[in-house]
Amino acid sequence: MASKEKKEVFIPKTPADLQRMKLEKLMKNPDKLAAIPDGPKDRKHPNAPEFVRDVMGSSAGAGSGEFHVYRGYRRRELFRQKHLDEHAKKESERTEFEKKIDANKQAAEEKTAKKRAKRQKKKMKKKMKKQEEQKDTEEEKKEESESEEEEEQDQVKEDDGEENCFVIGGR
């Protein structure tokens, strides 16, 4: 027992101390997964019961016990109507949300397509310009090579004439 370390007991005095203590505990072993609680859950209501057809009224002539039975029927019917209204409201909100999401996706897709077309157009212009420059440089090279060939041929003719002069004899 002497080899074991004594653990200090820290009593948090403020909410900040409590939060700091929890963070320190989590950071001691960062590989360990932290438990994250789920969000609030929807209350599960039972399915709305069928409409009760034999509802009695609170009219004159009913016994004193019948009023409580009437109140029970009425309470169940109001609950059923409330349940159906909530269900219809959630369904309409969900469909409205889905329509909004689809509209946003479509708008984003149109915007993306427009920008994509603009990028492609710019890319094609750049490519065409590069091809034209290559074509121009090739034509210039051909013209230069043709002019060089003509100059070489002219020099060859001049050289031939000079050689003939020396060979034939002295002009």
PDB file of all heavy atoms in Angstrom, residues 83-99:
ATOM      1  N   HIS A  83     -53.504  14.614 -31.624  1.00  0.00           N
ATOM      2  CA  HIS A  83     -52.490  13.734 -32.196  1.00  0.00           C
ATOM      3  C   HIS A  83     -52.517  13.795 -33.729  1.00  0.00           C
ATOM      4  O   HIS A  83     -51.466  13.899 -34.362  1.00  0.00           O
ATOM      5  CB  HIS A  83     -52.718  12.298 -31.712  1.00  0.00           C
ATOM      6  CG  HIS A  83     -51.762  11.310 -32.292  1.00  0.00           C
ATOM      7  ND1 HIS A  83     -50.453  11.247 -31.896  1.00  0.00           N
ATOM      8  CD2 HIS A  83     -51.932  10.358 -33.245  1.00  0.00           C
ATOM      9  CE1 HIS A  83     -49.846  10.287 -32.583  1.00  0.00           C
ATOM     10  NE2 HIS A  83     -50.723   9.732 -33.397  1.00  0.00           N
ATOM     11  N   LEU A  84     -53.696  13.744 -34.305  1.00  0.00           N
ATOM     12  CA  LEU A  84     -53.811  13.800 -35.763  1.00  0.00           C
ATOM     13  C   LEU A  84     -53.344  15.156 -36.305  1.00  0.00           C
ATOM     14  O   LEU A  84     -52.677  15.222 -37.351  1.00  0.00           O
ATOM     15  CB  LEU A  84     -55.249  13.513 -36.194  1.00  0.00           C
ATOM     16  CG  LEU A  84     -55.745  12.083 -35.951  1.00  0.00           C
ATOM     17  CD1 LEU A  84     -57.221  11.967 -36.300  1.00  0.00           C
ATOM     18  CD2 LEU A  84     -54.920  11.086 -36.753  1.00  0.00           C
ATOM     19  N   ASP A  85     -53.680  16.239 -35.620  1.00  0.00           N
ATOM     20  CA  ASP A  85     -53.241  17.572 -36.042  1.00  0.00           C
ATOM     21  C   ASP A  85     -51.718  17.700 -35.995  1.00  0.00           C
ATOM     22  O   ASP A  85     -51.093  18.240 -36.918  1.00  0.00           O
ATOM     23  CB  ASP A  85     -53.888  18.654 -35.173  1.00  0.00           C
ATOM     24  CG  ASP A  85     -55.383  18.798 -35.425  1.00  0.00           C
ATOM     25  OD1 ASP A  85     -55.856  18.318 -36.478  1.00  0.00           O
ATOM     26  OD2 ASP A  85     -56.069  19.397 -34.565  1.00  0.00           O
ATOM     27  N   GLU A  86     -51.109  17.207 -34.907  1.00  0.00           N
ATOM     28  CA  GLU A  86     -49.651  17.261 -34.788  1.00  0.00           C
ATOM     29  C   GLU A  86     -48.992  16.448 -35.889  1.00  0.00           C
ATOM     30  O   GLU A  86     -47.999  16.865 -36.486  1.00  0.00           O
ATOM     31  CB  GLU A  86     -49.209  16.742 -33.418  1.00  0.00           C
ATOM     32  CG  GLU A  86     -49.489  17.681 -32.285  1.00  0.00           C
ATOM     33  CD  GLU A  86     -49.105  17.084 -30.938  1.00  0.00           C
ATOM     34  OE1 GLU A  86     -48.666  15.901 -30.896  1.00  0.00           O
ATOM     35  OE2 GLU A  86     -49.240  17.782 -29.930  1.00  0.00           O
ATOM     36  N   HIS A  87     -49.539  15.273 -36.152  1.00  0.00           N
ATOM     37  CA  HIS A  87     -48.992  14.413 -37.207  1.00  0.00           C
ATOM     38  C   HIS A  87     -49.086  15.114 -38.564  1.00  0.00           C
ATOM     39  O   HIS A  87     -48.123  15.093 -39.342  1.00  0.00           O
ATOM     40  CB  HIS A  87     -49.736  13.075 -37.221  1.00  0.00           C
ATOM     41  CG  HIS A  87     -49.186  12.095 -38.198  1.00  0.00           C
ATOM     42  ND1 HIS A  87     -47.949  11.515 -38.031  1.00  0.00           N
ATOM     43  CD2 HIS A  87     -49.694  11.602 -39.356  1.00  0.00           C
ATOM     44  CE1 HIS A  87     -47.723  10.707 -39.055  1.00  0.00           C
ATOM     45  NE2 HIS A  87     -48.771  10.737 -39.868  1.00  0.00           N
ATOM     46  N   ALA A  88     -50.233  15.715 -38.849  1.00  0.00           N
ATOM     47  CA  ALA A  88     -50.403  16.420 -40.127  1.00  0.00           C
ATOM     48  C   ALA A  88     -49.451  17.611 -40.223  1.00  0.00           C
ATOM     49  O   ALA A  88     -48.865  17.877 -41.285  1.00  0.00           O
ATOM     50  CB  ALA A  88     -51.853  16.881 -40.276  1.00  0.00           C
ATOM     51  N   LYS A  89     -49.271  18.325 -39.127  1.00  0.00           N
ATOM     52  CA  LYS A  89     -48.374  19.482 -39.110  1.00  0.00           C
ATOM     53  C   LYS A  89     -46.930  19.050 -39.361  1.00  0.00           C
ATOM     54  O   LYS A  89     -46.213  19.665 -40.169  1.00  0.00           O
ATOM     55  CB  LYS A  89     -48.480  20.207 -37.765  1.00  0.00           C
ATOM     56  CG  LYS A  89     -47.667  21.470 -37.688  1.00  0.00           C
ATOM     57  CD  LYS A  89     -47.846  22.136 -36.338  1.00  0.00           C
ATOM     58  CE  LYS A  89     -46.976  23.390 -36.232  1.00  0.00           C
ATOM     59  NZ  LYS A  89     -47.076  24.002 -34.913  1.00  0.00           N
ATOM     60  N   LYS A  90     -46.483  17.983 -38.697  1.00  0.00           N
ATOM     61  CA  LYS A  90     -45.120  17.476 -38.907  1.00  0.00           C
ATOM     62  C   LYS A  90     -44.923  17.036 -40.354  1.00  0.00           C
ATOM     63  O   LYS A  90     -43.879  17.294 -40.959  1.00  0.00           O
ATOM     64  CB  LYS A  90     -44.839  16.296 -37.967  1.00  0.00           C
ATOM     65  CG  LYS A  90     -44.526  16.707 -36.560  1.00  0.00           C
ATOM     66  CD  LYS A  90     -44.170  15.493 -35.718  1.00  0.00           C
ATOM     67  CE  LYS A  90     -43.906  15.873 -34.289  1.00  0.00           C
ATOM     68  NZ  LYS A  90     -43.558  14.715 -33.454  1.00  0.00           N
ATOM     69  N   GLU A  91     -45.921  16.377 -40.898  1.00  0.00           N
ATOM     70  CA  GLU A  91     -45.827  15.903 -42.283  1.00  0.00           C
ATOM     71  C   GLU A  91     -45.727  17.078 -43.257  1.00  0.00           C
ATOM     72  O   GLU A  91     -44.920  17.066 -44.189  1.00  0.00           O
ATOM     73  CB  GLU A  91     -47.049  15.037 -42.622  1.00  0.00           C
ATOM     74  CG  GLU A  91     -46.990  14.365 -43.963  1.00  0.00           C
ATOM     75  CD  GLU A  91     -45.884  13.333 -44.066  1.00  0.00           C
ATOM     76  OE1 GLU A  91     -45.474  12.778 -43.035  1.00  0.00           O
ATOM     77  OE2 GLU A  91     -45.419  13.092 -45.200  1.00  0.00           O
ATOM     78  N   SER A  92     -46.539  18.114 -43.036  1.00  0.00           N
ATOM     79  CA  SER A  92     -46.489  19.279 -43.930  1.00  0.00           C
ATOM     80  C   SER A  92     -45.156  20.010 -43.797  1.00  0.00           C
ATOM     81  O   SER A  92     -44.581  20.447 -44.797  1.00  0.00           O
ATOM     82  CB  SER A  92     -47.653  20.229 -43.643  1.00  0.00           C
ATOM     83  OG  SER A  92     -47.537  20.785 -42.352  1.00  0.00           O
ATOM     84  N   GLU A  93     -44.633  20.116 -42.569  1.00  0.00           N
ATOM     85  CA  GLU A  93     -43.324  20.745 -42.371  1.00  0.00           C
ATOM     86  C   GLU A  93     -42.224  19.951 -43.054  1.00  0.00           C
ATOM     87  O   GLU A  93     -41.321  20.514 -43.662  1.00  0.00           O
ATOM     88  CB  GLU A  93     -43.025  20.888 -40.880  1.00  0.00           C
ATOM     89  CG  GLU A  93     -43.816  21.964 -40.190  1.00  0.00           C
ATOM     90  CD  GLU A  93     -43.556  22.018 -38.695  1.00  0.00           C
ATOM     91  OE1 GLU A  93     -42.843  21.116 -38.161  1.00  0.00           O
ATOM     92  OE2 GLU A  93     -44.067  22.943 -38.050  1.00  0.00           O
ATOM     93  N   ARG A  94     -42.319  18.627 -42.971  1.00  0.00           N
ATOM     94  CA  ARG A  94     -41.305  17.775 -43.599  1.00  0.00           C
ATOM     95  C   ARG A  94     -41.330  17.929 -45.115  1.00  0.00           C
ATOM     96  O   ARG A  94     -40.290  18.071 -45.753  1.00  0.00           O
ATOM     97  CB  ARG A  94     -41.530  16.307 -43.212  1.00  0.00           C
ATOM     98  CG  ARG A  94     -40.421  15.379 -43.681  1.00  0.00           C
ATOM     99  CD  ARG A  94     -40.720  13.938 -43.321  1.00  0.00           C
ATOM    100  NE  ARG A  94     -41.945  13.446 -43.897  1.00  0.00           N
ATOM    101  CZ  ARG A  94     -42.091  13.056 -45.185  1.00  0.00           C
ATOM    102  NH1 ARG A  94     -41.068  13.107 -45.994  1.00  0.00           N
ATOM    103  NH2 ARG A  94     -43.238  12.606 -45.617  1.00  0.00           N
ATOM    104  N   THR A  95     -42.530  17.914 -45.712  1.00  0.00           N
ATOM    105  CA  THR A  95     -42.617  18.057 -47.168  1.00  0.00           C
ATOM    106  C   THR A  95     -42.145  19.448 -47.611  1.00  0.00           C
ATOM    107  O   THR A  95     -41.460  19.577 -48.628  1.00  0.00           O
ATOM    108  CB  THR A  95     -44.050  17.813 -47.662  1.00  0.00           C
ATOM    109  OG1 THR A  95     -44.943  18.689 -46.969  1.00  0.00           O
ATOM    110  CG2 THR A  95     -44.471  16.368 -47.445  1.00  0.00           C
ATOM    111  N   GLU A  96     -42.488  20.464 -46.828  1.00  0.00           N
ATOM    112  CA  GLU A  96     -42.039  21.824 -47.155  1.00  0.00           C
ATOM    113  C   GLU A  96     -40.514  21.904 -47.077  1.00  0.00           C
ATOM    114  O   GLU A  96     -39.868  22.505 -47.949  1.00  0.00           O
ATOM    115  CB  GLU A  96     -42.672  22.814 -46.169  1.00  0.00           C
ATOM    116  CG  GLU A  96     -42.358  24.263 -46.464  1.00  0.00           C
ATOM    117  CD  GLU A  96     -43.031  25.193 -45.468  1.00  0.00           C
ATOM    118  OE1 GLU A  96     -44.176  24.927 -45.072  1.00  0.00           O
ATOM    119  OE2 GLU A  96     -42.385  26.186 -45.088  1.00  0.00           O
ATOM    120  N   PHE A  97     -39.937  21.285 -46.062  1.00  0.00           N
ATOM    121  CA  PHE A  97     -38.483  21.283 -45.911  1.00  0.00           C
ATOM    122  C   PHE A  97     -37.818  20.556 -47.081  1.00  0.00           C
ATOM    123  O   PHE A  97     -36.811  21.023 -47.625  1.00  0.00           O
ATOM    124  CB  PHE A  97     -38.112  20.620 -44.584  1.00  0.00           C
ATOM    125  CG  PHE A  97     -36.641  20.534 -44.339  1.00  0.00           C
ATOM    126  CD1 PHE A  97     -35.908  21.669 -44.031  1.00  0.00           C
ATOM    127  CD2 PHE A  97     -35.979  19.314 -44.406  1.00  0.00           C
ATOM    128  CE1 PHE A  97     -34.549  21.597 -43.804  1.00  0.00           C
ATOM    129  CE2 PHE A  97     -34.626  19.232 -44.192  1.00  0.00           C
ATOM    130  CZ  PHE A  97     -33.906  20.363 -43.887  1.00  0.00           C
ATOM    131  N   GLU A  98     -38.382  19.411 -47.477  1.00  0.00           N
ATOM    132  CA  GLU A  98     -37.818  18.662 -48.605  1.00  0.00           C
ATOM    133  C   GLU A  98     -37.889  19.479 -49.894  1.00  0.00           C
ATOM    134  O   GLU A  98     -36.958  19.464 -50.699  1.00  0.00           O
ATOM    135  CB  GLU A  98     -38.544  17.332 -48.769  1.00  0.00           C
ATOM    136  CG  GLU A  98     -38.181  16.323 -47.698  1.00  0.00           C
ATOM    137  CD  GLU A  98     -38.968  15.028 -47.823  1.00  0.00           C
ATOM    138  OE1 GLU A  98     -39.833  14.924 -48.732  1.00  0.00           O
ATOM    139  OE2 GLU A  98     -38.728  14.127 -47.004  1.00  0.00           O
ATOM    140  N   LYS A  99     -39.002  20.200 -50.107  1.00  0.00           N
ATOM    141  CA  LYS A  99     -39.114  21.053 -51.291  1.00  0.00           C
ATOM    142  C   LYS A  99     -38.055  22.144 -51.270  1.00  0.00           C
ATOM    143  O   LYS A  99     -37.432  22.444 -52.289  1.00  0.00           O
ATOM    144  CB  LYS A  99     -40.507  21.692 -51.359  1.00  0.00           C
ATOM    145  CG  LYS A  99     -41.600  20.744 -51.772  1.00  0.00           C
ATOM    146  CD  LYS A  99     -42.952  21.439 -51.787  1.00  0.00           C
ATOM    147  CE  LYS A  99     -44.082  20.484 -52.107  1.00  0.00           C
ATOM    148  NZ  LYS A  99     -45.391  21.152 -52.064  1.00  0.00           N
TER     149      LYS A  99
END
